[in-house]
Amino acid sequence: MTLAPERRQTLPDVNVRFSPDGTPLAIRHDGRIWMVDPDVHTAHWFTRDAWWETRTRAAVGTGDMVSVEHWQVQAKLPSASAELRTFTLRREPLATGWQLEALS
């Protein structure tokens, strides 16, 4: 029996608007714009891609092929009664767009 790497699940794409200092301000998801609450703590971190499982190859000098960027923010729809939701965003190495990793 041969073990093969699991196929990655496809995450939904989201558009993220950032402030000049690089902090998320708003997220467009599912046709709606969610405003990030600036008064609630945000988290920003990096993890490493499991390149040995994905078999991703790149030419020398291509750039960072293993750092996956993450943001976790609290955001809500722009109505007065909207509740905050937690968005966990993810950007793959060398990608220009963001994906929604989790929404709770």
Side-chain angles (χ1 to χ4, degrees), residues 31-83:
R32 297 186 282 179
I33 297 177
W34 297 76
M35 304 305 296
V36 174
D37 189 332
D39 298 326
V40 178
H41 174 72
T42 61
H44 183 220
W45 71 95
F46 290 85
T47 57
R48 295 293 194 182
D49 185 36
W51 59 267
W52 58 90
E53 293 176 1
T54 61
R55 310 276 190 249
T56 303
R57 301 280 189 255
V60 173
T62 301
D64 183 353
M65 294 292 298
V66 296
S67 294
V68 179
E69 186 174 7
H70 302 267
W71 277 97
Q72 188 174 66
V73 298
Q74 302 286 315
K76 65 179 182 174
L77 293 170
S79 69
S81 62
E83 292 186 28

